[in-house]
C-alpha cells in the first residue's frame, strides 16, 4: 500500500473540471483539437464529439462560428506567444452569452468557456486609491474585505496570512452574524500544502462553485495527462473537497495576496450553499486584492525605511561612543545597555579579552560558559539565531527560562570572543482551527489503495501550549545585531580611517541616490506624456458610457498625479545639485504673482492674502521663487476650506538676518508630527484630504540650507506660520 503526503498529491492534473466550465484543448502548432471536456456538447451542437480529434475548429464552421468570429480567436497566434497569459472575450453560443478565455500552457492552447452571470447586487466605487491612505495593517485588510463583499459577498470572508513554516493564521474576517468567528485561529501547513501554495502563486484566483456537484472528465484520444494549472474551472482534489465539506461549506473562492513576488497570504471565502461568481467579478476581486497588496507593501516599505533611518542614527551614535575608547572591550562594556536594547533582548553577555560582562536577565556564569563552549563546537556561521534554544538544548546544557531564545555573534571565533543576546521563555498559546495533528486515511486511485493525510472533521478551537520558546526574533532584530557587528568591524581599526571610510561611503550613497532620483524623474516624463495623450484620445473617442468615462478620467488623473510627484522629485534633486548664484533680490513682485496664481490654482477666490513689508534678501533667483511658491501654495491650499481663509506675508530684519513669515489660518500641524515635517514623501494625517505628495517642504528645506538660510514653523492658535531666515544682502 502506498503512502501519499499532502504535498505529493498531483492537484494540477486532476483529469476533470468543474461543471460550470467547458474546455477545449488545441495543439499550439497545428491548432488541431487534442482534448475537450465531456460536457462541450451541452453548449455546442455536437452529435459525435469523437469527430473533433485531430481537426481544427474551422472544419466545423456551423458549430464553432461564434468562437471563430471573435477577435480573440482570430488573433490566436498573437495572444498565445507567451505561456500562461490569459485573454478574455464574450461570445454568444446558441443565443446565450459566455465568457471565452484563451491561454497557452506547454504544447496546448486552452479555450475555456463559462456562462455569463449578472450580479445585480454589485456595488463598487471607481476610486482605486482608497487603500493607499490607510497605514494600519488591520484596517487595510478589513477595508479589502468590505470592498470585496460588495462584489462576491460570501457567508464568510477571511484574510489568511502564511507563517514562515507554511502554516497560516486568520488576521481579518467578515462573516454572517450567526457564524462563529475564526479570527486569530491558526491552520496547519497541511491545510494548504506546498504544491497548493505554488499553484496559488501561478493561478491567483480559484473558485469551487459547488463541492457536491459532479465533476466533468477530460476526453483525450491519447489519454495524455493534461496540466490544468491555469484553467479557471480546474477540478478540486478529493482531499480538499472533503476538507471544505467538513468545514460546513459548499462553495469556496480564494484570491492570492502576492507581496514582492511571494505568496504572503490569501483572501479566502466560504459559503454554506453552492455559489458561483461571474468571471468578471472574480477578475475585479483580483484587481482590488492586488491594489490592497501593493498598498500594504508600500506602507510596510515606508515603515521599514523609517526603521532603517532610526537604526542608522543609533549606529552613528554607537560609533561615536566606541571611538571614545582605545580598545574594543571598553567600548562594548561602556555601551552594554544600548547594545542589549537594539534587538530588544532581555539580557546580554559580552565575552571578550578573557573577561565577561553582563547586563539584564542572563543565565548563571556556569551556564554561560557551557553555552559559549557549545556555540564554538556546534556552529559555523558568524551569527546564530534560535527562539527554541531552551526546548532544543535545555536538558543538555542545564538551561533555565532566561535562555529560551538566543542570538550569538562571534566577534572573533579564534579568540573565543562573542556577544550573546537572551530572551526569556514566552508562555505561548496557539489556537488552532481543529486539532492540527495529522490523521491518515485511505483512498483508492487507479485501482490502488493509498494512504493519504485525511482532512480534519472538526474545526473546533484546539489550544496548544508550547514550552521552551521565546518571542520570535524578527528581521529587525537580526538587522540590529548586524548593525552592532558593523560598528565593531569599523571601529576596531584605527579610528580615523574608520570615520573617513564611513563618510566616503555615505557620500557615495547620497550621490547615487540623488542621481537615481534625478534620472528616474526626468526619463519617465516622456512615457507618462504618451500614456496621458492616449488616455485622453480614448476619452474623446471611446464609447460614451459613464463607467468607461469614469475609468479613463481616473487614469488621466493618476497620470497627472504621478507626473507631479516626479516633477517634485526632480526639483528636489536640482535643489541640491544646481549651480547657485547669490545676489540681492527684491521678493515683493515674486510673492505677489505667486499669491494671485495660488488663489486660482486652489480655487479659493475668497482667500485674503495680506502682503506687508518685503525687504531685500541674499538668495538665488530661481531657488527663491521655488521657496515662496511651495510655502505660499501650502498656505492657500490648507486654509482654502475655511469660511474666511486668510494668509499674511511679511518680512523684517532680525539679529542681522532677514526673516520672512507666511502665516495662515488653515489646518495646522500636530505637534507630535513636527519632527517629520521636512522629510520627503511625509504627509500629516490631517492633510490627506488635500491633494499633494509630501515633497514641497523637502525642497524648501534643501534650498534654504544651500543658500545659507533656514526654514522653521510655529503653530498659531489656528493655522501655521512658516519662518524663512535669509542672509542679509
Amino acid at each position: 500500500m502506498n503512502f501519499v503526503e499532502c504535498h505529493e498529491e498531483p492537484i494540477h492534473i486532476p483529469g476533470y473540471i468543474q461543471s460550470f466550465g467547458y474546455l477545449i484543448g488545441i495543439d499550439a502548432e497545428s491548432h488541431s483539437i487534442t482534448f475537450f471536456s465531456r460536457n462541450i456538447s451541452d453548449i455546442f451542437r455536437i452529435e459525435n464529439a469523437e469527430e473533433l480529434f485531430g481537426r481544427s475548429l474551422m472544419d466545423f464552421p456551423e458549430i464553432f462560428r461564434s468562437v471563430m468570429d471573435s477577435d480573440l480567436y482570430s488573433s490566436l497566434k498573437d495572444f498565445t506567444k507567451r505561456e500562461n497569459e490569459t485573454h478574455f472575450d464574450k461570445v454568444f453560443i446558441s443565443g446565450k452569452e459566455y465568457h471565452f478565455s484563451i491561454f497557452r500552457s506547454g504544447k496546448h492552447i486552452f479555450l475555456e468557456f463559462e456562462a455569463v452571470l449578472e450580479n445585480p447586487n454589485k456595488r463598487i466605487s471607481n476610486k482605486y486609491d482608497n487603500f493607499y491612505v490607510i497605514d494600519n495593517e488591520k484596517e487595510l485588510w478589513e477595508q479589502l474585505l468590505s470592498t470585496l463583499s460588495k462584489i462576491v459577498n460570501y457567508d464568510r470572508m477571511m484574510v489568511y496570512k502564511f507563517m514562515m513554516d507554511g502554516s497560516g493564521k486568520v488576521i481579518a474576517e467578515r462573516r454572517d452574524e450567526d457564524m462563529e468567528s475564526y479570527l486569530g485561529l491558526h491552520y496547519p501547513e497541511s491545510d494548504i500544502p506546498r504544491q497548493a501554495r505554488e499553484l496559488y502563486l501561478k493561478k491567483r484566483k480559484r473558485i469551487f462553485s459547488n463541492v457536491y456537484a459532479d465533476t466533468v472528465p477530460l476526453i483525450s484520444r491519447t489519454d495524455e495527462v493534461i496540466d490544468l494549472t491555469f484553467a479557471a474551472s480546474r477540478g478540486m482534489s478529493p482531499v480538499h473537497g472533503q476538507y471544505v465539506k467538513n468545514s460546513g461549506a459548499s462553495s469556496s473562492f480564494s484570491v492570492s495576496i502576492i507581496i514582492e513576488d511571494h505568496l504572503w497570504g490569501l483572501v479566502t471565502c466560504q459559503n454554506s450553499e453552492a455559489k458561483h461568481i461571474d468571471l468578471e467579478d472574480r477578475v475585479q476581486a483580483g484587481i482590488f486584492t492586488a491594489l490592497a497588496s501593493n498598498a500594504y507593501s508600500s506602507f510596510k516599505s515606508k515603515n521599514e525605511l523609517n526603521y532603517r533611518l532610526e537604526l542608522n542614527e543609533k549606529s552613528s551614535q554607537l560609533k561615536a561612543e566606541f571611538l571614545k575608547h582605545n580598545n574594543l572591550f571598553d567600548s562594548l562594556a561602556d555601551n552594554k545597555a544600548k547594545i542589549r536594547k537594539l534587538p530588544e533582548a532581555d539580557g546580554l553577555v559580552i565575552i571578550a579579552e578573557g573577561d565577561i560582562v553582563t547586563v539584564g536577565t542572563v543565565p548563571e556564569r556556569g551556564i554561560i560558559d557551557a553555552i559559549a563552549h557549545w556555540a564554538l563546537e556546534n556552529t559555523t556561521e558568524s551569527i546564530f539565531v534560535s527562539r527554541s534554544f531552551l526546548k532544543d538544548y535545555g536538558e543538555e546544557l542545564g538551561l533555565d527560562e532566561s535562555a529560551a531564545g538566543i542570538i550569538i555573534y562571534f566577534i572573533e571565533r579564534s579568540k573565543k570572543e562573542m556577544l550573546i543576546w537572551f530572551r526569556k521563555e514566552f508562555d505561548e498559546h496557539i489556537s488552532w482551527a481543529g486539532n492540527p495533528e495529522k490523521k491518515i486515511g485511505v483512498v483508492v486511485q487507479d485501482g490502488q489503495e493509498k494512504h493519504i493525510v485525511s482532512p480534519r472533521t472538526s474545526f473546533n478551537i484546539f489550544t496548544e501550549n508550547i514550552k521552551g520558546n521565546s518571542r520570535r526574533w524578527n528581521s529587525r532584530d537580526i538587522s540590529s545585531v548586524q548593525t552592532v557587528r558593523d560598528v565593531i568591524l569599523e571601529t576596531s581599526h584605527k579610528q580615523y580611517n574608520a570615520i573617513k571610510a564611513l563618510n566616503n561611503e555615505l557620500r557615495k550613497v547620497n550621490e547615487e541616490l540623488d542621481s537615481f532620483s534625478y534620472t528616474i524623474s526626468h526619463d519617465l516624463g516622456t512615457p507618462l506624456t504618451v500614456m496621458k495623450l492616449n488616455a485622453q484620445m480614448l476619452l474623446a473617442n471611446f464609447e460614451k458610457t459613464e463607467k468607461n468615462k469614469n475609468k479613463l478620467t481616473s487614469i488621466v488623473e493618476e497620470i497627472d498625479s504621478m507626473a507631479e510627484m516626479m516633477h517634485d522629485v526632480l526639483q528636489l534633486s536640482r535643489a541640491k545639485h544646481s549651480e547657485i548664484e547669490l545676489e540681492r533680490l527684491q521678493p515683493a513682485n515674486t510673492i505677489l504673482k505667486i499669491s494671485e496664481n495660488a488663489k486660482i490654482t486652489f480655487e479659493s477666490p475668497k482667500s485674503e492674502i495680506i502682503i506687508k513689508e518685503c525687504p531685500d534678501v541674499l538668495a538665488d533667483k530661481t531657488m527663491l521663487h521655488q521657496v515662496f511658491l511651495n510655502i505660499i501654495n501650502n498656505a492657500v491650499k490648507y486654509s482654502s476650506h475655511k469660511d474666511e481663509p486668510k494668509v499674511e506675508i511679511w518680512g523684517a530684519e532680525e539679529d542681522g538676518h532677514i526673516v520672512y513669515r507666511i502665516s495662515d489660518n488653515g489646518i495646522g500641524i500636530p505637534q507630535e508630527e513636527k519632527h517629520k515635517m521636512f522629510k520627503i514623501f511625509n504627509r500629516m494625517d490631517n492633510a490627506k484630504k488635500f491633494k499633494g505628495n509630501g515633497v514641497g517642504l523637502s525642497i524648501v528645506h534643501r534650498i534654504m540650507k544651500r543658500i545659507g538660510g533656514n526654514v522653521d514653523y510655529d503653530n498659531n492658535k489656528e493655522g501655521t506660520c512658516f519662518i524663512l531666515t535669509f542672509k542679509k544682502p
Side-chain angles (χ1 to χ4, degrees), residues 85-178:
E85 185 177 56
T86 305
H87 298 268
F88 305 96
D89 199 358
K90 288 182 180 179
V91 295
F92 280 91
I93 303 172
S94 301
K96 187 175 180 180
E97 193 172 21
Y98 290 83
H99 290 293
F100 172 33
S101 309
I102 288 183
F103 62 90
R104 175 177 176 171
S105 180
K107 62 181 180 179
H108 298 295
I109 294 173
F110 290 71
L111 313 180
E112 192 168 20
F113 306 86
E114 63 176 90
V116 173
L117 299 180
E118 295 297 328
N119 184 358
N121 299 317
K122 181 165 67 173
R123 296 175 292 108
I124 61 172
S125 166
N126 66 341
K127 289 288 185 183
Y128 297 131
D129 57 354
N130 293 344
F131 299 116
Y132 290 89
V133 300
I134 302 174
D135 57 3
N136 177 280
E137 180 177 352
K138 183 174 181 289
E139 291 179 13
L140 175 65
W141 299 125
E142 288 176 349
Q143 174 67 29
L144 173 61
L145 294 182
S146 175
T147 301
L148 295 185
S149 70
K150 298 169 186 175
I151 306 171
V152 298
N153 196 28
Y154 276 71
D155 295 342
R156 184 192 301 278
M157 303 174 67
M158 302 172 285
V159 173
Y160 179 92
K161 179 180 179 180
F162 287 109
M163 304 291 109
M164 291 181 67
D165 61 359
S167 65
K169 180 182 178 182
V170 177
I171 61 170
E173 180 184 57
R174 188 181 181 93
R175 58 189 168 85
D176 288 353
E177 292 182 357
D178 59 343

Side-chain angles (χ1 to χ4, degrees), residues 130-140 295-296 298-300 302-303 673 676 682-685 688:
N130 293 344
F131 299 116
Y132 290 89
V133 300
I134 302 174
D135 57 3
N136 177 280
E137 180 177 352
K138 183 174 181 289
E139 291 179 13
L140 175 65
Y296 173 80
S298 177
F299 90 73
K300 288 288 283 186
K302 181 180 178 181
N303 289 343
E673 298 195 56
K676 302 187 293 184
N682 183 73
R683 304 201 72 213
M684 305 300 108
D685 290 339
K688 290 182 179 177

Side-chain angles (χ1 to χ4, degrees), residues 67 131 142 244 352 433 459:
V67 177
F131 299 116
E142 288 176 349
V244 175
F459 289 81

Side-chain angles (χ1 to χ4, degrees), residues 659-670:
V659 179
Y660 271 81
R661 287 177 168 81
I662 298 92
S663 175
D664 65 68
N665 63 344
I667 60 175
I669 298 168

Side-chain angles (χ1 to χ4, degrees), residues 61 77 199 361 365 483 697 723:
K77 290 183 179 179
L199 285 184
T361 304
R365 175 64 184 263
T483 295
L697 289 179
I723 304 164

Side-chain angles (χ1 to χ4, degrees), residues 622-636:
T622 302
M623 290 188 173
L624 182 72
H625 182 274
Q626 193 74 22
V627 166
F628 279 113
L629 178 68
N630 280 288
I631 298 295
I632 295 173
N633 277 355
N634 279 353
V636 175

Side-chain angles (χ1 to χ4, degrees), residues 441-478:
V442 178
V443 296
V444 177
Q445 289 184 349
D446 302 326
Q448 281 189 317
E449 284 190 344
K450 296 182 179 180
H451 280 114
I452 194 165
V453 175
S454 176
R456 296 195 306 283
T457 57
S458 171
F459 289 81
N460 294 329
I461 295 177
F462 176 88
T463 302
E464 181 183 13
N465 298 319
I466 300 176
K467 297 291 185 180
N469 288 347
S470 71
R471 290 183 297 110
R472 294 182 186 277
W473 301 103
N474 59 32
S475 60
R476 291 188 174 184
D477 298 322
I478 308 305

